[in-house]
Amino acid sequence: MKRFFAALAALLGLSHGLSAAETCLDAGGSQNLVQTAVRALKGTGSDIQRNQTGVDVSIDVNGRLCSLCGMPLPERTDRSRRYVQRSDCGNQSLFEHPENKKKPLVQFTRAANGNQPETSAWCELNSQKVCADTLYNKDVLYQAKSIDVRKEPAVHWRTFDSHYCDQNGWLSDDYRALQHDFAAMTVKAEEFCNSRRGTWDVNMTWDDVEKVDQRGRKRGAPTPEEGRLLGSWTCAMGSPLCDIGYCVYTYCRKADGSFGTYDDCEGWDPVKGMPQGI
């Protein structure tokens, strides 16, 4: 789910009244930008601002900017299930520290230690932070259920993401069979990353992958090579499990070879997800 690569650019358009000086994202002015954007968001009277790029930018519980930080939509959840959101993320937010775009992503991963839970780039950078919450709640479909791609203003996100999912093998029944088994999917996700070692586990940065993503967006869909690189990027960020869950829940291959979304796919259920064999 790569739409949040545009989050930093989208941030510049949060308020139509921002001047060029106010929206300058250089090292010296990033804090002013954050403060201005927070004021713009709070001025909307809503926790979420969705602009024409399709990027969700919100204010987290600590008053920090956060991209893709929602919770599962009520109509998609079992009413007996209760979710929580992590409140310890965003310590190295890209919105406040754009210089982190040039750092190896693996350096943001830390194992659980004493009273501190594990962390990763998903959490530390406050970008697609919904993945950190997916892992914390141990629900493969948490991220997938937090967004409705049919309501995205840019249809090309669906075209891009469905190809990205397919190019990494994440629409197969091997993955779909595990959508309700967090432990088994965790193992499967680790196997995926182990098969890609050498592509993500040393020096891959946000900046590197953002450029690849932008090329694919301009074309409308990633090449197989680009799609695989983006899949490896999720390993560098901390885990591909969240994007795998998004893929198996959201997309299918239809009989005519095209991609379907949600109830375009026979047997899809908003709570149970996508059935196997499609």
Side-chain angles (χ1 to χ4, degrees):
M1 190 165 60
K2 304 281 93 50
R3 59 179 56 80
F4 56 89
F5 274 116
L8 291 179
L11 183 57
L12 304 180
L14 286 176
S15 171
H16 296 301
L18 299 186
S19 68
E22 289 176 313
T23 58
C24 179
L25 190 61
D26 58 26
S30 61
Q31 188 60 42
N32 288 336
L33 170 60
V34 170
Q35 292 170 352
T36 302
V38 168
R39 289 197 303 270
L41 273 172
K42 289 182 176 177
T44 65
S46 172
D47 291 334
I48 300 291
Q49 172 76 25
R50 184 189 296 267
N51 68 8
Q52 67 271 21
T53 67
V55 177
D56 285 336
V57 180
S58 60
I59 306 299
D60 68 13
V61 295
N62 298 308
R64 292 176 169 138
L65 287 167
C66 187
S67 69
L68 287 174
C69 303
M71 297 183 73
L73 302 173
E75 64 272 20
R76 294 178 170 183
T77 60
D78 182 334
R79 294 186 179 182
S80 65
R81 181 69 190 264
R82 294 293 180 266
Y83 295 107
V84 296
Q85 289 181 298
R86 290 182 65 164
S87 59
D88 60 336
C89 294
N91 299 303
Q92 303 184 69
S93 167
L94 288 179
F95 297 110
E96 298 175 25
H97 301 284
E99 68 275 10
N100 284 339
K101 293 176 66 177
K102 299 184 181 298
K103 296 179 180 179
L105 291 165
V106 293
Q107 78 174 47
F108 298 107
T109 294
R110 184 193 69 229
N113 181 18
N115 294 326
Q116 292 183 317
E118 60 79 29
T119 192
S120 66
W122 298 124
C123 178
E124 294 300 309
L125 301 181
N126 244 18
S127 292
Q128 198 175 330
K129 187 257 185 182
V130 67
C131 187
D133 291 328
T134 296
L135 300 174
Y136 190 77
N137 285 277
K138 300 185 184 303
D139 185 344
V140 174
L141 301 182
Y142 181 105
Q143 172 179 287
K145 292 180 176 183
S146 74
I147 188 168
D148 189 339
V149 300
R150 294 169 298 193
K151 297 180 180 179
E152 295 295 331
V155 176
H156 68 275
W157 292 121
R158 278 172 271 170
T159 302
F160 188 98
D161 282 0
S162 57
H163 281 82
Y164 156 72
C165 293
D166 189 53
Q167 288 161 350
N168 285 288
W170 295 341
L171 299 184
S172 71
D173 276 347
D174 286 349
Y175 287 101
R176 211 180 301 281
L178 305 179
Q179 62 187 304
H180 300 295
D181 188 336
F182 182 84
M185 187 68 89
T186 298
V187 173
K188 190 75 169 173
E190 290 173 351
E191 291 173 352
F192 173 86
C193 290
N194 287 336
S195 73
R196 300 284 182 88
R197 285 201 175 274
T199 64
W200 62 268
D201 52 332
V202 183
N203 293 318
M204 182 179 282
T205 69
W206 178 285
D207 217 21
D208 294 335
V209 181
E210 184 176 38
K211 294 171 184 176
V212 173
D213 179 82
Q214 289 173 346
R215 286 200 302 269
R217 297 288 174 194
K218 290 178 180 178
R219 192 185 308 110
T223 65
E225 182 180 13
E226 289 169 344
R228 285 176 57 83
L229 180 65
L230 291 169
S232 298
W233 169 82
T234 64
C235 298
M237 288 290 289
S239 174
L241 181 145
C242 313
D243 273 16
I244 294 172
Y246 164 73
C247 291
V248 301
Y249 179 87
T250 308
Y251 302 105
C252 72
R253 271 282 194 182
K254 300 171 73 173
D256 62 3
S258 64
F259 294 106
T261 303
Y262 301 141
D263 48 12
D264 289 341
C265 307
E266 185 176 356
W268 179 81
D269 182 88
V271 176
K272 297 177 181 178
M274 202 76 68
Q276 296 183 55
I278 59 171

